[in-house]
């Protein structure tokens, strides 16, 4: 647990949803939305173009991003968002499945996040913090990015109606 990885993976052999050697998903995929969920987000494995594994990221009940494994460019850090008091980041695991460490940062703040593996290709990290950026580190790579702010759709609708 040195790198902050959880031992469980979402999907897994029992769920038949792990990425296979060809980048696709082993077993059948019946369009179900198995995955990781919290009050403000949900992630799930899906089948991408050419049968490759994909990660769907929903924020506040709306589709926010779809990351497809083995695309033209591997994205160690695919995306990162923040809401009121929470931060979320996701990406593709490095070749060979090297460990990923994630920290959310801000003014005088550095919060290490728990990283959860989703299938065999993706990772997701979250923290309860008001952060401005995220830093993702592997034994051979380091990536940093600013967090995008997301708000509930109902907040935008209320403000637009005033």
């Amino acid at each position: 647990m040195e790198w902050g990885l959880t031992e469980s993976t979402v999907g897994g052999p029992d769920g038949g949803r792990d990425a296979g050697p060809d980048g696709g998903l082993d077993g059948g995929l019946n369009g179900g939305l198995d995955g990781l969920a919290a009050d403000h987000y949900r992630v799930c494995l899906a089948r991408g173009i050419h049968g490759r594994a994909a990660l769907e990221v929903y924020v506040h009940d709306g589709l926010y991003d779809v990351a497809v494994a083995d695309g033209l460019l591997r994205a160690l850090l695919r995306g990162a968002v923040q809401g009121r008091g929470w931060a979320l980041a996701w990406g593709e695991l490095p070749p060979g499945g090297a460990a990923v460490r994630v920290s959310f940062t801000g003014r005088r703040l550095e919060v290490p996040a728990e990283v959860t593996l989703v299938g065999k290709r993706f990772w997701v990290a979250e923290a309860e913090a008001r952060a401005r950026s995220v830093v993702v580190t592997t034994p051979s790579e380091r990536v940093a990015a600013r967090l995008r702010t997301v708000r509930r759709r109902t907040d935008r609708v209320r403000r637009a109606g005033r």
Side-chain angles (χ1 to χ4, degrees):
M1 296 295 223
E2 175 183 341
W3 285 87
L5 294 174
T6 61
E7 293 180 9
S8 64
T9 59
V10 177
D14 297 333
R17 301 200 43 154
D18 283 337
D22 64 349
L25 297 174
D26 293 334
L29 184 62
N30 298 325
L33 298 178
D34 297 334
L36 188 63
D39 289 341
H40 43 270
Y41 77 90
R42 182 182 68 198
V43 298
C44 59
L45 287 176
R47 189 179 310 269
I49 191 166
H50 302 297
R52 291 184 284 190
L55 180 72
E56 294 178 343
V57 179
Y58 296 84
V59 178
H60 295 310
D61 298 325
L63 181 62
Y64 190 85
D65 187 29
V66 177
V68 179
D70 300 328
L72 293 175
L73 297 173
R74 179 186 56 80
L76 176 63
L77 175 60
R78 170 65 187 211
V81 295
Q82 68 167 336
R84 290 186 177 176
W86 59 270
L88 175 71
W90 61 95
E92 190 174 346
L93 289 169
V100 176
R101 184 181 349 187
V102 178
S103 294
F104 291 100
T105 61
R107 283 189 183 163
R108 294 179 237 117
L109 170 75
E110 182 170 348
V111 178
E114 183 174 320
V115 176
T116 302
L117 302 180
V118 182
K120 293 181 181 176
R121 299 292 180 107
F122 302 101
W123 61 266
V124 175
E126 69 171 315
E128 302 231 355
R130 292 186 56 126
R132 292 184 176 191
S133 59
V134 62
V135 178
V136 181
T137 309
T138 70
S140 62
E141 193 174 357
R142 182 178 190 272
V143 178
R146 301 261 313 165
L147 299 175
R148 291 181 175 225
T149 301
V150 293
R151 291 180 177 81
R152 287 194 176 275
R153 290 181 181 183
T154 56
D155 290 346
R156 283 186 270 171
V157 170
R158 276 190 221 133
R159 275 185 272 177
R162 288 185 184 178

